[in-house]
């Protein structure tokens, strides 16, 4: 589901760019915003009560934390906060580069939970665990989007520098 949100948001933002919304005039800028939408969705799941069944909730996320990770509840809250902060960072052009680069280790650190859930058939949001062959490529896609998003920050900074030099 998160991959569909990511790709759907990317195409939606890029369509807005094609219709003249300058914020989404490039693929990397649209990718940054699409990743932000996905992260807001996944980040808020970390705070959802168990009564929420239309999306993963706090209990679902605690269940996929591998046993070797201490304080699973705290880790779920912490990663939720980090995902929401990263989403905000991706939306703001001035922080997009650092947010994109910060997401890479976060996505790598989340991989053991995804592997644990797949290998141990931990249900997620009332659904069967997604297979490992799906989870690892998804993480690679998210890392690629984070890298892609950093490209606009560099381009925007260069445009600003060029504009300052012209004055």
């Amino acid at each position: 589901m998160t991959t569909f949100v990511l790709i759907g948001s990317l195409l939606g933002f890029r369509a807005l760019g094609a219709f003249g919304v300058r914020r989404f005039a490039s693929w990397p800028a649209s990718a940054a915003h699409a990743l932000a939408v996905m992260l807001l969705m996944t980040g808020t799941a970390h705070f959802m009560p168990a009564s929420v069944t239309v999306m993963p909730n706090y209990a679902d996320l605690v269940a996929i934390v591998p046993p070797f990770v201490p304080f699973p509840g705290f880790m779920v809250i912490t990663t939720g906060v980090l995902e929401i902060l990263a989403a905000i960072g991706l939306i703001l052009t001035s922080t997009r580069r650092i947010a994109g680069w910060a997401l890479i280790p976060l996505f790598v650190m989340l991989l053991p939970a995804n592997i644990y859930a797949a290998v141990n058939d931990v249900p997620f949001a009332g659904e069967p665990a997604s297979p490992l062959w799906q989870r690892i490529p998804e993480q690679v896609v998210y890392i690629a989007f984070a890298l892609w998003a950093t490209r606009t920050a560099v381009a925007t900074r260069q445009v600003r520098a060029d504009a300052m030099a012209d004055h």
Side-chain angles (χ1 to χ4, degrees):
M1 165 113 126
T2 53
T3 304
F4 292 120
V5 169
L6 182 63
I7 301 301
S9 297
L10 172 66
L11 296 174
F13 288 131
R14 198 57 198 107
L16 288 171
F19 285 115
V21 179
R22 289 186 350 187
R23 184 166 196 81
F24 310 116
S26 73
W27 283 101
S30 296
H33 287 80
L35 188 55
V37 168
M38 187 200 81
L39 287 167
L40 283 173
M41 183 186 82
T42 59
T44 56
H46 293 235
F47 304 97
M48 291 293 128
S51 59
V52 173
T53 58
V54 296
M55 66 187 285
N57 58 49
Y58 172 81
D60 291 327
L61 294 165
V62 168
I64 70 168
V65 176
F68 66 84
V69 176
F71 312 109
F74 175 76
M75 293 300 179
V76 167
I77 296 297
T78 300
T79 55
V81 168
L82 291 174
E83 287 178 18
I84 292 168
L85 289 174
I88 294 166
L90 288 168
I91 292 168
L92 303 172
T93 309
S94 62
T95 56
R96 189 171 295 156
R97 182 175 172 84
I98 188 108
W101 282 107
L103 278 168
I104 295 167
L106 179 63
F107 288 143
V108 171
M109 288 186 324
L110 294 175
L111 190 56
N114 289 313
I115 293 170
Y116 176 78
V119 169
N120 294 288
D121 293 320
V122 178
F124 203 62
E127 299 290 322
S130 53
L132 194 56
W133 64 262
Q134 178 185 342
R135 288 184 178 248
I136 292 175
E138 281 178 340
Q139 292 297 107
V140 172
V141 168
Y142 304 153
I143 290 169
F145 263 72
L147 284 170
W148 197 11
T150 65
R151 292 187 58 209
T152 54
V154 174
T156 303
R157 193 174 309 135
Q158 185 59 48
V159 168
R160 285 185 189 151
D162 292 346
M164 300 273 281
D166 289 341
H167 284 80

